[in-house]
Amino acid sequence: MNPSNTNRSGSSVNIVWIVVGGFAIILGGVLLSTLTPLLLPTEGSAEAQQVDALFRFMLAIGGAIFLLVNGVLAYSIIRFRARANDYSDGPPIQGNTTLEFVWTLIPAIIVTVVTIYAYSVWVNIRSVKENEQLVNVTGQRFAWSFTYNITESELSALGLSPEVTTDERVTSRFAEGGSVPFNYPQLHTWVGQPVHVELQTQDVNHAFWIPGMRIKQDLLAGRVTDIRFTPIEPGVYRIVCAELCGSGHGDMAGRVDELGNLTGAWLVVHPDEETFLREFYSPEAGTTVATLVEEDPVVIGRQLLISGTYPCAGCHVLDDLSWSSVIGPNLNNIGNRAATRVAGLSAEEYIHNSIRHPADYVVGGYSNLMPQFNPEPDQPNYMPEEHLDAIVAYLLTQQEG
Ligand code: CUA
């Protein structure tokens, strides 16, 4: 046989294999980048579409490189395996300038393209949108609270005048921007409405994550951080804390209880603004504002706890309010037990003191985790005396029978 013939047919076979292999690798990368996102939650926001497109782009490149590297590796393991009794070394191979140039140039191009693409997505997501709905988010161990601002005109639409309250947190807001805050343990908005959330923590660092919106932002002690998203799909989306913040970290998320009720923090996206106003905003804002003029402390206390103004739901069980977290003592029927807990303290005094000075009243079997709620506005975890009295009055009604 003529050696040059063998070479010619050998190299044309090699070219065929390289072309076939190249196609397989590209096809594999495209398949990986198309199929993997099927595992992700629904794309609920405009930002999610951009983030996922970037993810697919990077996965196609990364997937192709993965298949190339592992394909060559698998081929080499089989093709160049050691034969029986062969203890010789392979041929010494010196540098190949062309090859090194190519394998430096290609990654440099890929990294540059990915950087420009990713930066443009980042800038798009961060950019200020027109007509934003501002929601202030507070993270506290172990619950989220969302503060919406009611303007004076919305307040009068609810039939209430701005003079309804002397609560200094309300009156100071009026002085600043003409709106009152109302708290709620869930985040509500509607399709097409750009949302701007400003995030603050009362204690340690947390991270605000809505997987369905593809947004995640840290809450940093002593700073206000923010993030934006625009929902495009109506529905209910889990909100999750993504920063280890203590023993109740795993409970700082939307949950479904054994009865199928949603508890904890959820994002509810209404189909349109009208539904949002009718089903969420007017009733909830109305109830909250009504409690500002409400006289009965039991009603006010219950509303304060429902609103998420204080993060009690993050740690306690209380069936009346569908709380189901077991980090702290169970509050069901607390009104029956409170008087018997500490000799010399009435039920009222016991509950009052254990909110002001929780460290002195740790219940056996539980850790000293509860924040101390302080009576002065300049202290952390401020809880005005009227709020505390109302909460105590409400908790005292939690009795058997
Ligand atoms: Cu808050 Cu983890």
Side-chain angles (χ1 to χ4, degrees):
M1 198 192 280
N2 184 328
S4 68
N5 274 350
T6 319
N7 278 348
R8 196 174 305 142
S9 68
S11 68
S12 60
V13 168
N14 279 346
I15 288 172
V16 169
W17 274 112
I18 287 171
V19 170
V20 169
F23 268 117
I25 285 163
I26 292 169
L27 185 69
V30 169
L31 271 178
L32 272 174
S33 82
T34 313
L35 298 179
T36 312
L38 299 178
L39 303 170
L40 301 177
T42 318
E43 283 179 345
S45 68
E47 292 70 16
Q49 293 178 325
Q50 296 182 44
V51 169
D52 285 5
L54 173 62
F55 175 68
R56 283 195 298 271
F57 179 71
M58 297 203 302
L59 194 59
I61 296 171
I65 293 172
F66 173 84
L67 293 172
L68 172 68
V69 169
N70 285 280
V72 170
L73 186 65
Y75 173 78
S76 305
I77 288 171
I78 296 164
R79 175 75 176 73
F80 303 113
R81 68 189 182 279
R83 309 297 156 126
N85 300 319
D86 178 1
Y87 298 107
S88 63
D89 281 338
I93 298 173
Q94 294 297 314
N96 181 327
T97 311
T98 313
L99 192 59
E100 287 175 17
F101 181 75
V102 169
W103 80 38
T104 306
L105 183 69
I106 292 177
I109 293 173
I110 291 174
V111 168
T112 308
V113 169
V114 169
T115 304
I116 294 170
Y117 184 6
Y119 184 71
S120 78
V121 170
W122 166 255
V123 168
N124 264 337
I125 292 177
R126 302 292 307 178
S127 68
V128 179
K129 316 293 187 301
E130 260 177 63
N131 252 328
E132 289 179 336
Q133 175 194 18
L134 176 66
V135 181
N136 293 89
V137 181
T138 305
Q140 263 178 299
R141 299 195 301 172
F142 297 101
W144 297 103
S145 168
F146 303 91
T147 308
Y148 305 79
N149 294 297
I150 317 178
T151 61
E152 293 202 43
S153 61
E154 288 168 330
L155 198 63
S156 40
L158 296 167
L160 296 160
S161 77
E163 290 78 43
V164 292
T165 176
T166 54
D167 182 318
E168 58 200 274
R169 294 200 283 195
V170 175
T171 47
S172 69
R173 286 293 188 102
F174 269 133
E176 284 164 22
S179 65
V180 284
F182 86 90
N183 294 296
Y184 201 71
Q186 278 145 22
L187 177 51
H188 284 249
T189 185
W190 65 94
V191 171
Q193 169 62 43
V195 183
H196 180 205
V197 292
E198 286 195 342
L199 304 149
Q200 267 179 299
T201 170
Q202 292 281 330
D203 38 51
V204 299
N205 293 356
H206 303 272
F208 182 74
W209 182 29
I210 312 181
M213 301 288 129
R214 307 290 192 276
I215 57 158
K216 189 193 272 175
Q217 173 64 52
D218 281 2
L219 281 72
L220 303 173
R223 275 175 60 179
V224 179
T225 52
D226 69 335
I227 190 87
R228 295 180 159 85
F229 64 94
T230 307
I232 53 171
E233 275 293 321
V236 179
Y237 300 84
R238 268 189 104 203
I239 295 173
V240 182
C241 179
E243 177 80 46
L244 187 60
C245 55
S247 64
H249 161 70
D251 284 329
M252 216 171 152
R255 300 183 297 279
V256 181
D257 70 10
E258 57 273 29
L259 299 173
N261 299 317
L262 304 182
T263 67
W266 292 86
L267 162 69
V268 181
V269 178
H270 297 269
D272 48 45
E273 184 176 11
E274 196 218 324
T275 318
F276 165 84
L277 289 172
R278 190 183 61 237
E279 291 182 3
F280 168 69
Y281 198 85
S282 303
E284 296 304 337
T287 314
T288 306
V289 174
T291 59
L292 300 172
V293 284
E294 171 67 54
E295 301 282 308
D296 183 353
V298 173
V299 177
I300 297 173
R302 187 171 191 274
Q303 187 57 37
L304 280 170
L305 294 182
I306 292 175
S307 72
T309 304
Y310 306 102
C312 318
C315 293
H316 295 280
V317 169
L318 184 53
D319 292 347
D320 185 41
L321 306 180
S322 303
W323 293 356
S324 57
S325 190
V326 295
I327 292 155
N330 189 317
L331 296 179
N332 285 334
N333 308 323
I334 177 80
N336 294 117
R337 296 190 306 276
T340 64
R341 288 274 305 132
V342 175
L345 285 188
S346 69
E348 192 174 351
E349 288 165 333
Y350 170 72
I351 299 176
H352 178 280
N353 293 2
S354 46
I355 293 172
R356 280 280 188 247
H357 304 286
D360 300 340
Y361 298 86
V362 177
V363 175
Y366 294 93
S367 307
N368 179 19
L369 283 171
M370 182 164 152
Q372 172 167 326
F373 290 92
N374 293 303
E376 299 302 329
D378 55 348
Q379 293 171 306
N381 296 304
Y382 169 51
M383 182 187 282
E385 200 63 34
E386 319 86 78
H387 284 193
L388 178 55
D389 289 344
I391 288 169
V392 171
Y394 163 71
L395 287 175
L396 286 172
T397 67
Q398 292 304 296
Q399 300 192 14
E400 225 161 356

